[in-house]
Structure formats: C-alpha cells, structure tokens
Coordinates of all heavy atoms in Angstrom, one line a residue:
M1 N -21.0 125.4 -82.4 CA -19.9 124.7 -83.1 C -20.2 123.2 -83.3 O -20.3 122.7 -84.4 CB -18.6 124.9 -82.3 CG -18.0 126.3 -82.5 SD -16.4 126.4 -81.7 CE -16.7 126.1 -80.0
A2 N -20.3 122.5 -82.1 CA -20.5 121.1 -82.2 C -21.9 120.7 -82.9 O -22.1 119.7 -83.4 CB -20.5 120.4 -80.8
D3 N -22.8 121.7 -82.9 CA -24.1 121.5 -83.5 C -24.0 121.3 -85.0 O -24.9 120.8 -85.6 CB -25.1 122.6 -83.2 CG -25.4 122.7 -81.7 OD1 -25.3 121.7 -81.0 OD2 -25.7 123.8 -81.2
Q4 N -22.9 121.8 -85.6 CA -22.7 121.7 -87.0 C -22.1 120.4 -87.4 O -22.1 120.1 -88.6 CB -21.8 122.8 -87.5 CG -22.4 124.2 -87.2 CD -21.4 125.3 -87.4 OE1 -20.2 125.1 -87.6 NE2 -21.8 126.5 -87.5
L5 N -21.7 119.6 -86.5 CA -21.1 118.3 -86.8 C -22.2 117.3 -87.2 O -23.3 117.3 -86.7 CB -20.3 117.7 -85.7 CG -19.0 118.5 -85.3 CD1 -18.4 117.9 -84.1 CD2 -18.0 118.4 -86.5
P6 N -21.8 116.4 -88.1 CA -22.8 115.3 -88.5 C -23.1 114.4 -87.3 O -22.3 114.4 -86.3 CB -22.1 114.6 -89.7 CG -20.7 114.9 -89.5 CD -20.6 116.2 -88.8
E7 N -24.0 113.5 -87.5 CA -24.3 112.5 -86.5 C -23.2 111.5 -86.4 O -22.5 111.2 -87.4 CB -25.6 111.8 -86.9 CG -26.9 112.6 -86.7 CD -27.1 113.0 -85.2 OE1 -27.0 112.1 -84.3 OE2 -27.3 114.1 -84.9
I8 N -23.0 111.0 -85.3 CA -22.0 109.9 -85.0 C -22.6 108.6 -85.5 O -23.7 108.2 -85.1 CB -21.6 109.9 -83.6 CG1 -20.9 111.2 -83.1 CG2 -20.7 108.6 -83.3 CD1 -20.7 111.3 -81.6
E9 N -21.8 107.9 -86.3 CA -22.2 106.5 -86.7 C -21.4 105.5 -86.0 O -20.2 105.7 -85.7 CB -21.9 106.4 -88.2 CG -22.7 107.4 -89.1 CD -22.3 107.3 -90.6 OE1 -22.0 106.2 -91.0 OE2 -22.3 108.3 -91.2
L10 N -22.1 104.4 -85.6 CA -21.4 103.3 -85.0 C -21.3 102.2 -86.0 O -22.2 101.8 -86.7 CB -22.3 102.7 -83.8 CG -21.8 101.4 -83.2 CD1 -20.4 101.5 -82.7 CD2 -22.8 101.0 -82.1
E11 N -20.0 101.7 -86.2 CA -19.7 100.6 -87.1 C -19.3 99.4 -86.2 O -18.2 99.6 -85.5 CB -18.6 100.9 -88.1 CG -19.1 102.0 -89.1 CD -18.0 102.4 -90.0 OE1 -16.9 101.8 -90.0 OE2 -18.2 103.3 -90.9
D12 N -20.0 98.4 -86.1 CA -19.7 97.2 -85.3 C -19.3 96.0 -86.1 O -20.1 95.6 -86.9 CB -21.0 96.9 -84.4 CG -20.7 95.9 -83.3 OD1 -19.7 95.1 -83.4 OD2 -21.4 95.9 -82.3
H13 N -18.1 95.6 -85.9 CA -17.6 94.5 -86.7 C -17.2 93.3 -85.9 O -16.1 92.8 -86.0 CB -16.3 95.0 -87.5 CG -16.6 96.1 -88.4 ND1 -17.3 96.1 -89.6 CD2 -16.2 97.4 -88.3 CE1 -17.4 97.3 -90.1 NE2 -16.8 98.1 -89.3
G14 N -18.1 92.9 -85.0 CA -17.9 91.7 -84.2 C -17.1 92.1 -82.9 O -17.5 92.8 -82.0
S15 N -15.8 91.7 -82.9 CA -14.9 92.0 -81.8 C -14.3 93.4 -81.8 O -13.8 93.9 -80.8 CB -13.8 91.0 -81.7 OG -12.9 91.1 -82.8
K16 N -14.5 94.1 -82.9 CA -13.9 95.5 -83.1 C -15.0 96.4 -83.7 O -16.0 95.9 -84.2 CB -12.7 95.5 -84.0 CG -11.5 94.7 -83.4 CD -10.3 95.0 -84.2 CE -9.0 94.4 -83.6 NZ -8.6 95.1 -82.4
G17 N -14.8 97.7 -83.5 CA -15.7 98.6 -84.1 C -15.2 100.0 -84.0 O -14.0 100.2 -83.5
R18 N -16.0 101.0 -84.4 CA -15.6 102.3 -84.3 C -16.8 103.3 -84.4 O -17.9 102.9 -84.9 CB -14.6 102.7 -85.4 CG -15.2 102.8 -86.8 CD -14.2 103.2 -87.8 NE -14.8 103.4 -89.1 CZ -14.4 104.4 -90.0 NH1 -13.3 105.1 -89.7 NH2 -15.0 104.5 -91.1
Y19 N -16.6 104.4 -83.7 CA -17.6 105.5 -83.8 C -16.9 106.5 -84.8 O -15.7 106.7 -84.8 CB -17.8 106.2 -82.5 CG -18.5 105.3 -81.5 CD1 -17.8 104.5 -80.6 CD2 -19.9 105.3 -81.5 CE1 -18.5 103.7 -79.7 CE2 -20.6 104.6 -80.6 CZ -19.9 103.7 -79.7 OH -20.6 103.0 -78.8
V20 N -17.7 107.0 -85.7 CA -17.2 107.8 -86.8 C -18.1 109.0 -87.1 O -19.3 108.9 -87.1 CB -16.9 107.0 -88.1 CG1 -18.1 106.4 -88.6 CG2 -16.2 107.8 -89.1
L21 N -17.4 110.2 -87.3 CA -18.0 111.4 -87.8 C -17.5 111.6 -89.2 O -16.3 111.7 -89.4 CB -17.7 112.6 -87.0 CG -18.4 112.8 -85.6 CD1 -17.7 113.8 -84.8 CD2 -19.8 113.2 -85.9
R22 N -18.4 111.7 -90.2 CA -17.9 111.9 -91.6 C -18.1 113.4 -91.9 O -19.1 114.0 -91.7 CB -18.8 111.1 -92.5 CG -18.6 109.6 -92.2 CD -19.4 108.7 -93.2 NE -19.6 107.4 -92.7 CZ -18.7 106.4 -92.6 NH1 -17.4 106.7 -93.0 NH2 -18.9 105.2 -92.2
G23 N -17.0 113.9 -92.5 CA -17.0 115.3 -92.8 C -16.8 115.6 -94.3 O -16.9 114.7 -95.1
P24 N -16.6 116.8 -94.6 CA -16.4 117.2 -96.0 C -15.2 116.5 -96.7 O -14.2 116.3 -96.0 CB -16.2 118.7 -96.0 CG -15.8 119.0 -94.6 CD -16.4 117.9 -93.7
G25 N -15.3 116.2 -98.0 CA -14.2 115.6 -98.7 C -13.8 114.3 -98.2 O -12.7 113.8 -98.5
G26 N -14.7 113.5 -97.6 CA -14.4 112.2 -97.1 C -13.6 112.1 -95.8 O -13.2 111.1 -95.3
A27 N -13.4 113.3 -95.1 CA -12.7 113.3 -93.8 C -13.5 112.5 -92.8 O -14.7 112.6 -92.8 CB -12.5 114.7 -93.4
E28 N -12.8 111.8 -91.9 CA -13.4 111.0 -90.9 C -12.7 111.2 -89.6 O -11.5 111.1 -89.5 CB -13.4 109.5 -91.2 CG -14.3 109.1 -92.4 CD -14.3 107.6 -92.6 OE1 -13.4 106.9 -92.1 OE2 -15.2 107.2 -93.3
A29 N -13.5 111.6 -88.5 CA -13.0 111.6 -87.2 C -13.5 110.2 -86.6 O -14.6 109.9 -86.8 CB -13.6 112.7 -86.4
E30 N -12.6 109.5 -86.0 CA -13.0 108.2 -85.5 C -12.4 107.9 -84.1 O -11.4 108.4 -83.7 CB -12.5 107.1 -86.5 CG -11.1 106.9 -86.5 CD -10.6 105.6 -87.3 OE1 -11.5 104.9 -87.8 OE2 -9.4 105.4 -87.4
M31 N -13.1 107.0 -83.4 CA -12.6 106.4 -82.2 C -12.9 104.9 -82.3 O -14.0 104.5 -82.5 CB -13.4 107.0 -81.0 CG -12.9 106.5 -79.7 SD -14.0 106.8 -78.4 CE -15.3 105.6 -78.8
T32 N -11.8 104.2 -82.3 CA -11.9 102.7 -82.4 C -11.9 102.0 -81.1 O -11.4 102.5 -80.1 CB -10.7 102.2 -83.3 OG1 -9.5 102.4 -82.6 CG2 -10.7 102.8 -84.7
F33 N -12.5 100.8 -81.1 CA -12.6 100.1 -79.8 C -12.5 98.6 -80.1 O -12.8 98.1 -81.3 CB -13.9 100.4 -79.1 CG -15.2 100.0 -79.8 CD1 -15.7 98.8 -79.7 CD2 -15.8 101.0 -80.5 CE1 -16.9 98.5 -80.4 CE2 -17.0 100.7 -81.2 CZ -17.5 99.4 -81.1
T34 N -12.1 97.8 -79.1 CA -12.1 96.4 -79.1 C -13.0 95.9 -78.0 O -12.8 96.3 -76.9 CB -10.7 95.9 -79.0 OG1 -9.8 96.4 -80.0 CG2 -10.6 94.4 -79.0
K35 N -13.8 94.9 -78.3 CA -14.7 94.3 -77.2 C -13.9 93.2 -76.5 O -13.2 92.5 -77.1 CB -15.9 93.7 -77.9 CG -16.8 94.7 -78.5 CD -18.0 94.0 -79.2 CE -18.8 95.0 -80.0 NZ -19.9 94.3 -80.7
I36 N -14.1 93.2 -75.2 CA -13.6 92.1 -74.4 C -14.7 91.4 -73.7 O -15.3 92.0 -72.8 CB -12.6 92.7 -73.3 CG1 -11.6 93.5 -73.9 CG2 -12.1 91.6 -72.4 CD1 -10.2 93.6 -73.4
G37 N -15.1 90.3 -74.2 CA -16.3 89.6 -73.7 C -17.6 90.4 -74.0 O -17.6 91.3 -74.9
E38 N -18.6 90.2 -73.2 CA -19.9 90.8 -73.4 C -20.0 92.2 -72.6 O -20.9 92.9 -72.9 CB -21.0 89.9 -72.9 CG -21.1 88.6 -73.7 CD -21.6 88.9 -75.1 OE1 -22.6 89.6 -75.2 OE2 -21.1 88.4 -76.0
H39 N -19.1 92.4 -71.6 CA -19.4 93.5 -70.7 C -18.2 94.6 -70.7 O -18.3 95.5 -69.8 CB -19.7 93.0 -69.3 CG -20.8 92.1 -69.3 ND1 -22.1 92.5 -69.5 CD2 -20.9 90.8 -69.2 CE1 -23.0 91.5 -69.5 NE2 -22.3 90.4 -69.3
Q40 N -17.2 94.5 -71.5 CA -16.1 95.4 -71.5 C -15.7 95.8 -72.9 O -15.8 95.0 -73.8 CB -14.9 94.9 -70.8 CG -15.1 94.6 -69.3 CD -13.9 94.0 -68.7 OE1 -12.9 94.7 -68.6 NE2 -13.9 92.8 -68.2
L41 N -15.2 97.0 -73.0 CA -14.6 97.4 -74.3 C -13.4 98.3 -74.0 O -13.3 99.0 -73.0 CB -15.5 98.0 -75.3 CG -16.2 99.3 -74.9 CD1 -15.4 100.5 -75.4 CD2 -17.6 99.4 -75.5
I42 N -12.4 98.2 -74.9 CA -11.2 99.0 -74.8 C -11.3 100.1 -75.9 O -11.5 99.8 -77.1 CB -9.9 98.2 -75.1 CG1 -9.7 97.2 -74.0 CG2 -8.7 99.1 -75.2 CD1 -8.6 96.2 -74.3
I43 N -11.2 101.4 -75.5 CA -11.1 102.4 -76.5 C -9.6 102.5 -76.8 O -8.8 102.8 -75.9 CB -11.6 103.8 -75.9 CG1 -13.1 103.7 -75.7 CG2 -11.2 104.9 -76.9 CD1 -13.6 105.0 -75.0
D44 N -9.2 102.2 -78.0 CA -7.8 102.0 -78.3 C -7.2 103.2 -79.2 O -6.0 103.3 -79.2 CB -7.4 100.7 -78.9 CG -8.5 100.2 -79.9 OD1 -9.0 101.0 -80.7 OD2 -8.7 99.0 -79.9
H45 N -8.1 104.0 -79.8 CA -7.5 105.0 -80.7 C -8.6 106.1 -81.0 O -9.8 105.7 -81.2 CB -7.1 104.4 -82.0 CG -6.5 105.3 -83.0 ND1 -5.3 106.0 -82.8 CD2 -6.9 105.8 -84.1 CE1 -5.0 106.8 -83.8 NE2 -6.0 106.7 -84.6
T46 N -8.2 107.3 -80.9 CA -9.1 108.4 -81.4 C -8.3 109.2 -82.3 O -7.1 109.6 -82.1 CB -9.5 109.3 -80.2 OG1 -10.2 108.4 -79.2 CG2 -10.5 110.4 -80.6
E47 N -8.9 109.5 -83.5 CA -8.2 110.4 -84.5 C -9.1 111.4 -85.0 O -10.3 111.1 -85.4 CB -7.7 109.5 -85.6 CG -6.8 110.3 -86.6 CD -6.1 109.4 -87.6 OE1 -5.9 108.2 -87.3 OE2 -5.8 109.9 -88.7
V48 N -8.7 112.7 -84.9 CA -9.6 113.8 -85.4 C -8.8 114.6 -86.4 O -7.8 115.2 -86.1 CB -10.0 114.7 -84.2 CG1 -10.9 115.8 -84.7 CG2 -10.8 113.8 -83.2
P49 N -9.2 114.5 -87.7 CA -8.4 115.3 -88.7 C -8.6 116.8 -88.5 O -9.6 117.2 -87.9 CB -9.0 114.8 -90.0 CG -10.3 114.2 -89.7 CD -10.2 113.7 -88.3
D50 N -7.8 117.6 -89.1 CA -7.8 119.0 -88.9 C -9.1 119.7 -89.3 O -9.5 120.7 -88.6 CB -6.7 119.7 -89.8 CG -5.3 119.4 -89.3 OD1 -5.2 119.1 -88.1 OD2 -4.3 119.6 -90.0
V51 N -9.9 119.1 -90.2 CA -11.2 119.7 -90.6 C -12.2 119.8 -89.4 O -13.1 120.6 -89.4 CB -11.8 119.0 -91.8 CG1 -12.2 117.6 -91.5 CG2 -12.9 119.8 -92.4
F52 N -11.9 118.9 -88.4 CA -12.8 118.8 -87.3 C -12.3 119.5 -86.0 O -12.9 119.6 -85.0 CB -13.1 117.3 -86.9 CG -14.0 116.6 -87.8 CD1 -13.4 115.6 -88.7 CD2 -15.3 116.9 -87.9 CE1 -14.2 114.9 -89.5 CE2 -16.1 116.1 -88.8 CZ -15.6 115.2 -89.6
R53 N -11.0 119.9 -86.1 CA -10.4 120.5 -84.9 C -11.1 121.7 -84.3 O -11.7 122.5 -85.1 CB -8.9 120.9 -85.2 CG -8.1 119.8 -85.7 CD -7.2 119.3 -84.6 NE -6.3 118.2 -85.2 CZ -6.2 117.1 -84.6 NH1 -6.7 116.8 -83.5 NH2 -5.4 116.1 -85.2
G54 N -11.2 121.8 -83.0 CA -11.8 122.9 -82.4 C -13.3 122.8 -82.3 O -14.0 123.8 -81.9
Q55 N -13.9 121.7 -82.7 CA -15.3 121.6 -82.8 C -15.9 120.6 -81.7 O -17.1 120.3 -81.7 CB -15.8 121.1 -84.2 CG -15.4 122.1 -85.3 CD -15.8 121.6 -86.6 OE1 -17.0 121.2 -86.9 NE2 -14.9 121.5 -87.5
G56 N -15.0 120.0 -80.9 CA -15.4 119.1 -79.9 C -15.7 117.7 -80.5 O -16.4 116.9 -79.8
A57 N -15.2 117.4 -81.6 CA -15.4 116.1 -82.3 C -14.9 114.9 -81.4 O -15.7 113.9 -81.2 CB -14.8 116.0 -83.7
G58 N -13.7 115.0 -80.9 CA -13.2 113.9 -80.1 C -14.0 113.6 -78.9 O -14.3 112.5 -78.5
L59 N -14.3 114.7 -78.2 CA -15.1 114.6 -77.0 C -16.5 114.0 -77.3 O -17.0 113.2 -76.6 CB -15.3 116.0 -76.3 CG -16.2 116.0 -75.1 CD1 -15.7 115.0 -74.0 CD2 -16.3 117.4 -74.5
R60 N -17.1 114.4 -78.4 CA -18.4 113.8 -78.8 C -18.3 112.3 -79.0 O -19.2 111.6 -78.7 CB -18.9 114.5 -80.1 CG -19.5 115.9 -79.9 CD -20.2 116.4 -81.1 NE -21.3 115.5 -81.5 CZ -21.8 115.4 -82.8 NH1 -21.3 116.2 -83.7 NH2 -22.8 114.6 -83.0
L61 N -17.2 111.9 -79.7 CA -17.0 110.4 -79.9 C -16.9 109.7 -78.6 O -17.6 108.6 -78.4 CB -15.8 110.2 -80.8 CG -15.9 110.7 -82.2 CD1 -14.5 110.7 -82.8 CD2 -16.8 109.9 -83.0
V62 N -16.1 110.2 -77.6 CA -16.0 109.5 -76.4 C -17.3 109.5 -75.6 O -17.7 108.5 -75.0 CB -14.8 110.1 -75.5 CG1 -14.7 109.4 -74.2 CG2 -13.5 109.9 -76.3
T63 N -17.9 110.6 -75.6 CA -19.2 110.8 -74.9 C -20.2 109.8 -75.4 O -21.0 109.1 -74.7 CB -19.8 112.2 -75.0 OG1 -18.8 113.1 -74.5 CG2 -21.1 112.4 -74.3
R64 N -20.3 109.6 -76.7 CA -21.2 108.6 -77.3 C -20.9 107.2 -76.8 O -21.8 106.4 -76.5 CB -21.2 108.7 -78.9 CG -21.9 107.6 -79.6 CD -23.4 107.7 -79.5 NE -24.0 106.5 -80.1 CZ -24.3 106.3 -81.4 NH1 -24.1 107.3 -82.2 NH2 -24.7 105.2 -81.8
A65 N -19.6 106.9 -76.8 CA -19.2 105.5 -76.3 C -19.6 105.4 -74.8 O -20.1 104.3 -74.4 CB -17.7 105.3 -76.4
V66 N -19.5 106.4 -74.0 CA -19.9 106.3 -72.6 C -21.4 106.1 -72.5 O -21.9 105.3 -71.8 CB -19.5 107.6 -71.9 CG1 -20.1 107.7 -70.5 CG2 -17.9 107.7 -71.7
E67 N -22.2 106.9 -73.3 CA -23.6 106.7 -73.3 C -24.0 105.3 -73.7 O -24.9 104.7 -73.1 CB -24.3 107.8 -74.2 CG -24.1 109.2 -73.7 CD -24.5 110.2 -74.8 OE1 -24.7 109.9 -76.0 OE2 -24.5 111.4 -74.4
D68 N -23.4 104.8 -74.7 CA -23.8 103.5 -75.2 C -23.4 102.4 -74.2 O -24.1 101.4 -73.9 CB -23.1 103.2 -76.5 CG -23.7 103.9 -77.7 OD1 -24.7 104.6 -77.5 OD2 -23.2 103.8 -78.8
A69 N -22.2 102.6 -73.6 CA -21.7 101.6 -72.5 C -22.7 101.6 -71.3 O -23.0 100.6 -70.8 CB -20.3 101.9 -72.1
R70 N -23.1 102.8 -70.9 CA -24.0 102.9 -69.8 C -25.3 102.2 -70.1 O -25.8 101.5 -69.3 CB -24.2 104.4 -69.5 CG -24.9 104.7 -68.2 CD -25.0 106.2 -67.9 NE -23.7 106.6 -67.4 CZ -23.1 107.8 -67.7 NH1 -23.7 108.6 -68.5 NH2 -21.9 108.1 -67.1
A71 N -25.8 102.4 -71.3 CA -27.1 101.9 -71.7 C -27.0 100.3 -71.8 O -28.0 99.6 -71.5 CB -27.6 102.4 -73.0
A72 N -25.9 99.8 -72.1 CA -25.7 98.4 -72.2 C -25.0 97.7 -71.0 O -24.7 96.5 -71.0 CB -24.8 98.1 -73.5
N73 N -24.9 98.5 -70.0 CA -24.2 98.0 -68.7 C -22.8 97.4 -69.0 O -22.5 96.3 -68.5 CB -25.1 97.0 -68.0 CG -24.8 96.8 -66.6 OD1 -24.2 97.7 -65.9 ND2 -25.0 95.6 -66.1
K74 N -22.0 98.2 -69.7 CA -20.7 97.8 -70.0 C -19.7 98.7 -69.4 O -20.0 99.8 -69.0 CB -20.4 97.8 -71.5 CG -21.3 96.8 -72.3 CD -20.9 96.7 -73.7 CE -21.8 95.7 -74.4 NZ -21.4 95.5 -75.8
K75 N -18.4 98.2 -69.3 CA -17.3 99.0 -68.7 C -16.4 99.3 -69.8 O -16.2 98.6 -70.8 CB -16.6 98.3 -67.6 CG -17.5 97.9 -66.4 CD -17.8 99.2 -65.6 CE -18.6 98.8 -64.3 NZ -18.9 100.0 -63.6
I76 N -15.7 100.5 -69.7 CA -14.7 100.9 -70.7 C -13.3 101.0 -70.1 O -13.2 101.5 -69.0 CB -15.1 102.3 -71.2 CG1 -16.4 102.3 -72.0 CG2 -14.0 102.9 -72.1 CD1 -17.0 103.7 -72.4
I77 N -12.4 100.5 -70.8 CA -11.0 100.6 -70.5 C -10.4 101.6 -71.5 O -10.2 101.3 -72.7 CB -10.2 99.3 -70.6 CG1 -10.9 98.3 -69.7 CG2 -8.7 99.4 -70.3 CD1 -10.5 96.8 -70.0
P78 N -10.1 102.9 -71.1 CA -9.6 103.9 -72.1 C -8.1 103.9 -72.2 O -7.4 104.6 -71.6 CB -10.1 105.2 -71.4 CG -10.1 104.9 -69.9 CD -10.4 103.4 -69.8
L79 N -7.6 103.0 -73.1 CA -6.2 102.9 -73.4 C -5.7 104.1 -74.2 O -4.5 104.5 -74.1 CB -5.8 101.6 -74.0 CG -5.9 100.3 -73.2 CD1 -5.4 99.1 -73.9 CD2 -5.2 100.5 -71.8
C80 N -6.5 104.6 -75.1 CA -6.2 105.7 -75.9 C -5.9 106.9 -75.0 O -6.7 107.2 -74.1 CB -7.4 106.0 -76.8 SG -7.4 107.7 -77.5
P81 N -4.8 107.6 -75.2 CA -4.5 108.8 -74.3 C -5.5 109.8 -74.3 O -5.8 110.4 -73.3 CB -3.1 109.3 -74.9 CG -2.5 108.1 -75.6 CD -3.7 107.3 -76.1
F82 N -6.1 110.1 -75.5 CA -7.2 111.1 -75.5 C -8.4 110.7 -74.7 O -8.9 111.5 -73.8 CB -7.6 111.4 -76.9 CG -8.7 112.4 -77.0 CD1 -8.5 113.8 -76.9 CD2 -10.1 112.0 -77.1 CE1 -9.5 114.7 -76.9 CE2 -11.1 112.9 -77.2 CZ -10.8 114.3 -77.0
A83 N -8.9 109.5 -74.9 CA -10.0 109.0 -74.1 C -9.7 108.9 -72.6 O -10.5 109.3 -71.8 CB -10.4 107.6 -74.6
N84 N -8.5 108.5 -72.3 CA -8.1 108.5 -70.9 C -8.1 109.8 -70.3 O -8.6 110.0 -69.1 CB -6.7 107.9 -70.8 CG -6.3 107.5 -69.4 OD1 -6.5 108.2 -68.4 ND2 -5.7 106.3 -69.2
A85 N -7.7 110.9 -71.0 CA -7.7 112.2 -70.5 C -9.1 112.7 -70.3 O -9.4 113.4 -69.3 CB -7.0 113.2 -71.4
Q86 N -10.0 112.3 -71.2 CA -11.4 112.7 -71.1 C -12.1 112.1 -69.8 O -12.9 112.7 -69.1 CB -12.2 112.4 -72.3 CG -11.8 113.2 -73.5 CD -11.8 114.7 -73.3 OE1 -12.8 115.2 -72.8 NE2 -10.8 115.4 -73.7
F87 N -11.7 110.8 -69.6 CA -12.3 110.2 -68.4 C -11.8 110.9 -67.1 O -12.5 111.0 -66.1 CB -11.9 108.7 -68.3 CG -12.9 107.8 -69.0 CD1 -12.9 107.5 -70.3 CD2 -14.0 107.3 -68.2 CE1 -13.9 106.8 -70.9 CE2 -14.9 106.5 -68.8 CZ -14.9 106.2 -70.2
R88 N -10.5 111.4 -67.1 CA -10.0 112.1 -65.9 C -10.8 113.4 -65.8 O -11.0 113.9 -64.7 CB -8.5 112.3 -66.1 CG -7.7 111.1 -65.8 CD -6.2 111.4 -65.6 NE -5.6 112.2 -66.6 CZ -5.1 111.7 -67.8 NH1 -5.1 110.4 -68.0 NH2 -4.6 112.5 -68.7
R89 N -11.2 114.0 -66.9 CA -11.9 115.3 -66.8 C -13.4 115.2 -66.5 O -14.0 116.2 -66.2 CB -11.7 116.0 -68.2 CG -10.4 116.5 -68.5 CD -10.3 117.3 -69.8 NE -9.0 117.7 -70.1 CZ -8.3 117.3 -71.1 NH1 -8.8 116.4 -72.0 NH2 -7.0 117.6 -71.3
H90 N -13.9 114.0 -66.6 CA -15.3 113.8 -66.5 C -15.6 112.7 -65.4 O -15.9 111.5 -65.7 CB -16.0 113.3 -67.8 CG -15.9 114.4 -68.8 ND1 -16.9 115.4 -68.9 CD2 -15.0 114.7 -69.8 CE1 -16.6 116.2 -69.9 NE2 -15.4 115.9 -70.4
P91 N -15.5 113.1 -64.1 CA -15.7 112.1 -63.1 C -17.1 111.5 -63.1 O -17.4 110.4 -62.5 CB -15.5 112.9 -61.8 CG -15.6 114.3 -62.2 CD -15.2 114.4 -63.6
E92 N -18.1 112.2 -63.7 CA -19.4 111.6 -63.8 C -19.5 110.4 -64.7 O -20.5 109.7 -64.8 CB -20.4 112.7 -64.4 CG -20.2 113.1 -65.8 CD -19.2 114.2 -66.0 OE1 -18.3 114.5 -65.1 OE2 -19.2 114.8 -67.1
W93 N -18.4 110.0 -65.4 CA -18.3 108.8 -66.2 C -17.8 107.6 -65.4 O -17.6 106.5 -65.9 CB -17.5 109.0 -67.4 CG -18.0 110.0 -68.4 CD1 -19.2 110.6 -68.4 CD2 -17.2 110.5 -69.5 NE1 -19.3 111.5 -69.5 CE2 -18.1 111.4 -70.2 CE3 -16.0 110.3 -70.0 CZ2 -17.7 112.1 -71.3 CZ3 -15.6 111.0 -71.1 CH2 -16.4 111.9 -71.8
A94 N -17.5 107.8 -64.1 CA -16.9 106.8 -63.3 C -17.7 105.5 -63.3 O -17.1 104.4 -63.2 CB -16.7 107.3 -61.9
D95 N -19.0 105.5 -63.5 CA -19.8 104.3 -63.5 C -19.5 103.4 -64.6 O -19.8 102.2 -64.5 CB -21.3 104.6 -63.4 CG -21.8 105.4 -64.7 OD1 -21.1 106.4 -65.0 OD2 -22.8 105.1 -65.2
V96 N -18.9 103.9 -65.7 CA -18.6 103.0 -66.8 C -17.1 102.7 -67.0 O -16.7 102.0 -67.8 CB -19.2 103.5 -68.2 CG1 -20.7 103.6 -68.1 CG2 -18.6 104.9 -68.6
L97 N -16.3 103.4 -66.1 CA -14.8 103.2 -66.2 C -14.5 101.9 -65.5 O -14.8 101.6 -64.3 CB -14.2 104.4 -65.5 CG -12.6 104.3 -65.4 CD1 -12.0 104.3 -66.8 CD2 -12.1 105.5 -64.6
K98 N -13.7 101.0 -66.2 CA -13.2 99.8 -65.6 C -12.1 100.1 -64.7 O -11.1 100.7 -65.1 CB -12.8 98.8 -66.7 CG -12.1 97.6 -66.2 CD -13.1 96.7 -65.6 CE -12.4 95.4 -65.2 NZ -13.2 94.6 -64.3
Q99 N -12.3 99.8 -63.4 CA -11.2 100.1 -62.4 C -10.2 99.0 -62.3 O -10.5 97.9 -62.5 CB -11.9 100.3 -61.0 CG -12.8 101.4 -61.0 CD -12.1 102.8 -61.2 OE1 -11.0 103.0 -60.9 NE2 -12.9 103.8 -61.7

C-alpha cells in the first residue's frame, strides 16, 4: 500500500515549511512545521485528503520529519494532534521529542 505513494517532498520556506505527498488530480497530503531557532521545530498541522486515506500517508510524513530531525540533531514539538499521537505510539522517536 504505502509503496504506491509518491516520494515525500520537503518545501523549506525559511522559518516555515512542509512535507508533502502529491497525488492524483493535484491532491496533496501535507504536514506543516515552524522552525524555532536552529535546533527545534513545531509540527503544527497534518492533513491527508481522502485519496490518501488508509495508505499510511500521515505516518510517512511524520516519520520523514523524525528522520530529518534526527539527522540534523533537532528536536520536534508535535503540537498537531495527529503527530502527537504518532509520537505516543512510537517510543523509539523519544530522542527527537522535545521534552
């Protein structure tokens, strides 16, 4: 299922950005974030349109943010309810969770 999804793109606009999956007909699944200084970011919103439902798109977006944060030695503040729930389900992400 998730193997059929397109690659996740990162759009970085300075203090804000988003991870996006582009689908058929211009549909976009996205997770937006705001940077706080050099070492922290807030995941503030995740939106997955119906065309992506049941394919793990939201989890893929959060996972990509975790991987990128880990690689850049950053911490994540998951204000978005979906991202927050994923952090609770994935204790292996504790190293990037801002306590």
Side-chain angles (χ1 to χ4, degrees):
M1 286 187 296
D3 296 335
Q4 298 170 348
L5 288 175
E7 286 298 310
I8 296 170
E9 298 175 34
L10 170 60
E11 296 178 359
D12 191 334
H13 303 287
S15 65
K16 294 191 173 286
R18 72 181 187 144
Y19 290 92
V20 61
L21 282 164
R22 298 182 199 286
E28 292 182 341
E30 71 171 358
M31 186 196 69
T32 61
F33 62 87
T34 302
K35 296 177 189 174
I36 306 215
E38 294 291 313
H39 301 290
Q40 295 181 65
L41 62 92
I42 295 171
I43 296 176
D44 40 38
H45 180 69
T46 304
E47 185 169 339
V48 178
D50 289 341
V51 70
F52 290 110
R53 299 259 183 228
Q55 300 177 53
L59 176 58
R60 281 190 62 204
L61 292 167
V62 178
T63 300
R64 170 69 187 275
V66 167
E67 291 167 352
D68 288 355
R70 191 173 281 142
N73 198 28
K74 294 184 179 185
K75 297 289 186 184
I76 295 175
I77 302 166
L79 291 186
C80 161
F82 177 80
N84 194 315
Q86 292 306 313
F87 268 88
R88 286 194 307 273
R89 289 185 186 113
H90 294 274
E92 69 274 17
W93 294 349
D95 61 312
V96 298
L97 178 63
K98 175 69 176 168
Q99 298 294 336

